[in-house]
């Protein structure tokens, strides 16, 4: 029986207005998972999730959202008015963006402010009040039941990479330099994404990431950040849920969350990395060898790492 409603606020534009946010991550109707129901805009929820919420910055500062995406300055608002009457111990703050050097001051400021209003404050970095892995969300349009029950889809091409042309931090620029090296190497892979530089040979943008992953044996899952023990993002979850074998570049968190053999570790973003991709993608052998591990990893993502499962467990502990 559903006992709790969870509302949500976020600085991701338009997200908190979506009544169906995360509903594709449960087999049950209307966002129900276990003892709770996800209802982002609920006016009087039992619990409130502050999901990558940027607190007002003084004029001399800019939030992560504004600095990286060049949006308007975060307006000053009365935070109490956003909390919908939820008690502090039932307010959850989850920060999900990586702790890049360029925005460390903003991240720390968000944590400082969050502790004034939230009973639980967490993020994927060592200086978070509660350092922890990000609960999993994914960006496929498939239903939970379809993802849970499907066999591997037909694989017809070696490798894909879905990325963007963001270049405002050193980590983003390193990724673009590696992309350029990979494209000039002659290795066969399909590139999808938005705002990519003019020199990139791209197959175009995708509305649904599934179509840029499911037909491929391998997917390049390259994080924007790899320098701590906590950060791992949907890049890995999306690839595995599409039954790809990820060629992964990121921190060590992935090994702690997923079974051995469910992804391959890209050694570096340089010539050594290019050579590794060339060797692996030359045949589908590694994918066939990893099928059982991929199957196991998919179940862990869907049932254990799932943000809805995480929220349900939080409700159990704080009801």
């Amino acid at each position: 029986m559903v006992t709790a409603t969870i509302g949500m606020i976020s600085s991701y534009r338009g997200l908190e207005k979506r009544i169906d946010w995360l509903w594709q991550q449960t087999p049950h109707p209307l966002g129900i998972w276990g003892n709770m129901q996800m209802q982002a805009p609920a006016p009087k929820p039992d619990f409130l999730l502050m999901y990558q919420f940027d607190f007002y910055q003084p004029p001399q500062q800019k939030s992560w959202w504004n600095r990286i995406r060049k949006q308007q300055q975060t307006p000053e608002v009365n935070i109490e008015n956003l909390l919908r009457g939820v008690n502090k111990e039932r307010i959850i703050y989850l920060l999900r963006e990586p702790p890049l050097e360029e925005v460390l001051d903003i991240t720390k400021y968000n944590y400082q402010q969050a502790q004034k209003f939230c009973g639980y404050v967490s993020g994927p970095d060592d200086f978070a009040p509660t350092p922890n892995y990000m609960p999993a969300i994914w960006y496929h349009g498939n239903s939970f039941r379809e993802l849970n029950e499907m066999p591997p889809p037909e694989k017809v091409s070696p490798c894909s990479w879905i990325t963007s042309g963001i270049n405002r931090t050193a980590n983003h620029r390193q990724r673009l330099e590696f992309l350029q090296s990979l494209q000039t190497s002659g290795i066969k892979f399909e590139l999808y994404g938005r705002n990519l530089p003019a020199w990139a040979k791209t197959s175009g943008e995708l509305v649904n990431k599934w179509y840029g992953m499911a037909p491929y044996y391998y997917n390049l899952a390259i994080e924007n950040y790899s320098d701590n023990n906590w950060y791992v993002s949907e890049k890995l979850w999306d690839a595995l849920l599409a039954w790809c074998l990820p060629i992964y570049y990121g921190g060590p968190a992935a090994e702690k969350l997923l079974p051995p053999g469910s992804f391959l570790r890209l050694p570096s973003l340089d010539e050594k990395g290019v050579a590794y991709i060339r060797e692996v993608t030359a045949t589908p052998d590694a994918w066939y060898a990893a099928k059982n591990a991929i199957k196991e990893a998919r179940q862990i993502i869907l049932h254990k790492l799932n943000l809805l499962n995480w929220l349900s467990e939080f409700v159990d502990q704080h009801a």
Side-chain angles (χ1 to χ4, degrees):
M1 177 179 295
V2 175
T3 59
T5 298
I6 298 187
M8 184 272 290
I9 60 174
S10 175
S11 291
Y12 290 136
R13 180 174 290 183
L15 203 62
E16 64 188 37
K17 297 179 180 179
R18 285 181 46 194
I19 186 64
D20 64 343
W21 185 65
L22 291 187
W23 284 11
Q24 87 281 4
Q25 293 197 194
T26 173
H28 307 291
L30 305 177
I32 294 171
W33 183 283
N35 55 358
M36 66 88 181
Q37 184 176 22
M38 191 72 225
Q39 296 274 343
K44 294 182 179 181
D46 300 294
F47 292 79
L48 183 68
L49 171 63
M50 301 183 81
Y51 189 70
Q52 189 59 39
F53 181 82
D54 285 327
F55 290 87
Y56 172 76
Q57 303 293 318
Q60 69 271 20
Q61 294 178 306
K62 291 183 179 180
S63 70
W64 160 271
W65 184 259
N66 296 329
R67 184 179 292 183
I68 299 300
R69 297 168 177 81
K70 294 186 177 180
Q71 301 289 343
Q72 287 186 332
Q73 174 66 33
T74 304
E76 186 171 12
V77 297
N78 186 330
I79 299 299
E80 295 286 352
N81 291 340
L82 299 177
L83 303 183
R84 309 179 203 175
V86 180
N87 293 332
K88 180 178 180 178
E89 64 271 16
R90 291 188 168 199
I91 300 177
I92 305 157
Y93 185 88
L94 295 183
L95 190 146
R96 64 168 283 107
E97 295 289 354
L100 296 169
E101 182 178 352
E102 292 85 349
V103 294
L104 280 184
D105 55 335
I106 305 304
T107 299
K108 292 177 180 179
Y109 178 83
N110 277 329
Y111 286 141
Q112 181 185 46
Q113 295 300 304
Q115 290 179 88
K116 299 177 182 179
F117 305 100
C118 308
Y120 180 88
V121 181
S122 182
D125 42 64
D126 290 319
F127 51 83
T130 304
N132 208 346
Y133 314 108
M134 294 183 295
I137 63 170
W138 51 86
Y139 290 94
H140 295 308
N142 314 63
S143 71
F144 183 98
R145 291 183 184 275
E146 183 181 5
L147 291 173
N148 190 49
E149 299 170 7
M150 67 165 51
E154 182 182 8
K155 302 288 183 180
V156 296
S157 294
C159 185
S160 69
W161 187 4
I162 302 174
T163 189
S164 75
I166 293 175
N167 65 354
R168 299 185 189 115
T169 72
N171 290 44
H172 291 120
R173 291 188 288 273
Q174 181 188 30
R175 185 179 62 188
L176 287 173
E177 290 171 3
F178 183 67
L179 169 61
Q180 194 165 31
S181 297
L182 199 60
Q183 288 205 317
T184 58
S185 71
I187 295 173
K188 184 180 178 181
F189 76 101
E190 293 287 337
L191 175 68
Y192 300 95
R194 65 185 186 281
N195 301 322
L196 287 162
W199 51 259
K201 301 171 185 176
T202 174
S203 297
E205 295 186 29
L206 294 166
V207 174
N208 189 339
K209 292 177 75 172
W210 179 261
Y211 299 117
M213 291 184 171
Y216 299 89
Y217 289 100
Y218 306 99
N219 177 260
L220 301 182
I222 299 179
E223 301 283 17
N224 297 325
Y225 182 84
S226 61
D227 297 330
N228 72 16
N229 294 321
W230 302 107
Y231 186 76
V232 57
S233 79
E234 75 283 346
K235 293 177 177 63
L236 195 53
W237 320 142
D238 289 342
L240 286 163
L241 291 178
W243 280 96
C244 296
L245 177 57
I247 301 175
Y248 183 69
Y249 183 81
E255 277 88 357
K256 299 176 183 178
L257 297 173
L258 297 174
S262 58
F263 62 93
L264 303 176
R265 176 66 70 172
L266 182 64
S268 53
L269 298 181
D270 55 18
E271 293 182 2
K272 184 178 180 181
V274 171
Y276 182 81
I277 293 170
R278 184 190 303 278
E279 179 182 0
V280 169
T281 62
T283 75
D285 293 351
W287 181 85
Y288 281 105
K291 275 179 68 176
N292 287 338
I294 294 172
K295 181 179 180 179
E296 182 182 354
R298 294 177 79 258
Q299 291 299 301
I300 292 172
I301 296 165
L302 289 167
H303 295 274
K304 181 179 178 181
L305 303 181
N306 190 339
L307 175 54
L308 290 185
N309 179 62
W310 188 95
L311 290 169
S312 179
E313 291 179 350
F314 187 92
V315 169
D316 275 341
Q317 296 167 10
H318 296 85

